[in-house]
Amino acid sequence: MAGGSAGERLIGWYGGVAEKNLSTRPDFVRNWLMLGFQAMRGKVHLVPYGDLLPSGNHGYQLFMDSVVGTLANFDNAVVTSVFTPNEIFHALDAHPVTAEAVASFASGAQAEGAFISAAEGRGIPETYCSYHRILMGMATSGVLGKPRMLASCSVACDANNLTFKALGRFWGVPHVYVDVPYDVSRDSALYVADELRELARVTEDAFSRKLDEGRLREVCACSERTMHELAATLPTRRGRYLANTMTIDMMEMLDLHLSLGLPECEALAREMQHDFLAASPYEGVNLVWAHVSPYFLESLGELVNTSQTSQIVASDMMFEHVSAGDAWFDASSPYEFMAERLVRSCFNGPATRRADCIEHLARETGADAVVLFCHWGCKQTAGAAQLIRRQLEGAGWPVLVLDGDACDRANCMEGQMSTRFSAFLEMVEKRKEAEKHGS
């Protein structure tokens, strides 16, 4: 997570210690990694980054508090997939954490290679999603303790079923899988709502707690307000300097899924709007980023991180539900409310729905171009990439399809990616200048 060559060498040494001890001392590796995670958590609170907006620092702090707190108290955790609604868990004071969040911490510590090797040693294919390989490696090596349960949904990939089912057997804990119909309809939402009721029942059993339906409605009402606040930030991002980074954008995306329903998350969305309205004008290239980002690649980060020449203004993973249209349900019907969000997600159904969402984001933010990152092992994004590219280019936006890995640095051709990304930004900048001068 730190930048600079000295910082990278230090973190490389730190990750190397974990790697050397993984096969023989998993308890030591767990404590060693937690020591670093706790230190980083303290750092972002005590010494906020001066080049970020206040909301950026608070998004970073919320992410660290959420994930480090959960890892430190893993026997009160629910391991979930990124789009699984978490309001049920928050209403029961359980702590959700995703494969993406856990794997990002391992990658930030430069320890991902050891966990990927551990997973592959147990037969996980190298073509599998790297986030899930890291999670599997951390679990099967004994570095992760045992959570109370797992919960996943079919949005947006098959790994959400395969990984969580396998880990449920390995840990001997319940796993609930929510199957979301492709059809975007009220009936589909009602069907998913019944599945979420079953999820609530299993969660009550797993945590030996009774769910207060009034509390659940309060949590969902907070989610509803947060989503409205978040959607309202889209037009205010237009032509404003957001002072963000790939890391912050990824963390805020996870905040707005992991912590959705908590007052801290609502406050973050509200603070974003306040910061963006007060932000200075921006003349550089504005990008919509589709899918996850390889935040650890410094040569890519240098092009967009707190940069006056190019920045990321929105991502489809953060805003996958914003163009949903008129809602069928509100927070007074909590299970239906959560179910509708799943059914309407742009990651559910045909790839054209995702292309429509990205196009909506580009229009709302006044973006100049789109980067579609095809993360290793994500067959959905790779399979849809050219369809999405054609639709967006047909609508007038230049698109760069970039292949790489968002958490395994050994699986990235950084030089080639940086060269392509830099050339793309230069092309978009020239196009923007030509349009500005009417040529």
Side-chain angles (χ1 to χ4, degrees):
M1 293 177 186
S5 57
E8 286 297 308
R9 287 195 296 271
L10 177 61
I11 298 173
W13 167 81
Y14 172 76
V17 171
E19 184 171 2
K20 289 175 184 176
N21 288 276
L22 181 60
S23 61
T24 57
R25 303 170 68 194
D27 289 343
F28 167 81
V29 172
R30 180 192 308 121
N31 294 332
W32 176 252
L33 291 176
M34 283 304 304
L35 180 67
F37 297 160
Q38 294 282 18
M40 193 62 189
R41 178 188 189 181
K43 178 182 180 296
V44 300
H45 279 280
L46 293 173
V47 190
Y49 290 94
D51 53 355
L52 301 179
L53 297 176
S55 57
N57 274 307
H58 290 159
Y60 201 159
Q61 292 162 1
L62 177 57
F63 179 75
M64 297 298 292
D65 287 345
S66 172
V67 180
V68 175
T70 300
L71 291 174
N73 189 22
F74 208 60
D75 61 355
N76 195 45
V78 184
V79 181
T80 76
S81 56
V82 69
F83 295 126
T84 300
N86 289 316
E87 287 93 337
I88 292 168
F89 311 127
H90 292 313
L92 281 164
D93 294 321
H95 299 154
V97 70
T98 67
E100 291 78 10
V102 173
S104 291
F105 266 73
S107 181
Q110 294 194 24
E112 76 276 11
F115 296 119
I116 287 173
S117 295
E120 291 177 355
R122 285 181 168 262
I124 305 300
E126 65 177 13
T127 54
Y128 204 55
C129 171
S130 297
Y131 286 117
H132 287 255
R133 280 187 294 159
I134 293 173
L135 176 65
M136 294 283 282
M138 293 181 77
T140 57
S141 65
V143 168
L144 277 183
K146 183 163 68 172
R148 291 289 185 95
M149 61 177 291
L150 302 102
S152 59
C153 66
S154 57
V155 181
C157 68
D158 291 340
N160 288 343
N161 187 16
L162 301 174
T163 298
F164 288 83
K165 184 183 293 184
L167 287 180
R169 289 195 299 266
F170 176 79
W171 276 319
V173 300
H175 165 230
V176 178
Y177 180 67
V178 178
D179 189 22
V180 183
Y182 268 28
D183 181 40
V184 181
S185 68
R186 196 173 185 276
D187 285 344
S188 292
L190 293 172
Y191 173 81
V192 174
D194 286 340
E195 293 185 285
L196 294 176
R197 288 186 177 90
E198 174 63 13
L199 171 61
R201 187 195 64 75
V202 174
T203 307
E204 286 180 320
D205 289 345
F207 285 86
S208 301
R209 301 172 195 160
K210 184 66 178 175
L211 179 63
D212 183 329
E213 294 287 335
R215 170 64 178 150
L216 180 59
R217 283 191 290 272
E218 290 174 3
V219 172
C220 286
C222 183
S223 293
E224 190 171 28
R225 293 191 301 270
T226 303
M227 290 191 292
H228 289 156
E229 292 276 2
L230 182 64
T233 70
L234 281 173
T236 58
R237 294 165 185 255
R238 180 187 291 262
R240 305 278 184 170
Y241 176 51
L242 307 185
N244 63 356
T245 68
M246 282 188 173
T247 300
I248 295 302
D249 192 69
M250 182 75 174
M251 287 181 174
E252 288 177 340
M253 180 276 290
L254 288 167
D255 283 336
L256 288 154
H257 288 88
L258 276 174
S259 298
L260 188 63
L262 297 179
E264 305 92 283
C265 191
E266 182 182 2
L268 174 61
R270 189 181 304 115
E271 188 174 26
M272 285 180 179
Q273 179 74 318
H274 177 270
D275 285 353
F276 299 161
L277 286 171
S280 59
Y282 189 75
E283 299 295 330
V285 172
N286 293 291
L287 300 169
V288 169
W289 191 279
H291 210 206
V292 290
S293 60
Y295 68 88
F296 52 78
L297 296 182
E298 289 192 36
S299 59
L300 267 68
E302 287 172 358
L303 299 172
V304 294
N305 291 346
T306 57
S307 167
Q308 291 293 335
T309 56
S310 56
Q311 67 175 357
I312 298 170
V313 290
S315 70
D316 64 339
M317 287 196 71
M318 185 185 294
F319 292 93
E320 93 278 359
H321 56 272
V322 295
S323 57
D326 294 333
W328 302 309
F329 304 101
D330 60 24
S332 63
S333 302
Y335 295 103
E336 289 77 11
F337 167 76
M338 293 182 286
E340 182 175 353
R341 188 166 78 245
L342 273 178
V343 168
R344 288 189 183 269
S345 170
C346 74
F347 286 82
N348 183 46
T352 50
R353 297 196 62 237
R354 193 169 170 198
D356 290 342
C357 177
I358 297 169
E359 186 175 342
H360 172 78
L361 296 178
R363 291 189 191 281
E364 285 288 294
T365 60
D368 302 298
V370 173
V371 177
L372 179 56
F373 186 76
C374 294
H375 166 65
W376 179 264
C378 183
K379 298 176 178 61
Q380 189 209 51
T381 297
Q386 295 308 318
L387 184 152
I388 294 172
R389 180 186 62 79
R390 286 194 298 270
Q391 177 172 326
L392 293 170
E393 287 182 345
W397 281 279
V399 178
L400 173 66
V401 177
L402 202 58
D403 297 307
D405 197 308
C407 54
D408 181 8
R409 49 182 43 80
N411 202 27
C412 287
M413 300 179 67
E414 183 173 0
Q416 183 185 87
M417 292 169 66
S418 177
T419 299
R420 292 188 62 220
F421 191 29
S422 181
F424 178 73
L425 291 175
E426 184 177 348
M427 179 272 292
V428 175
E429 186 176 7
K430 288 180 179 178
R431 169 183 160 137
K432 186 172 181 176
E433 281 296 311
E435 290 174 349
K436 182 178 178 180
H437 294 95
S439 59

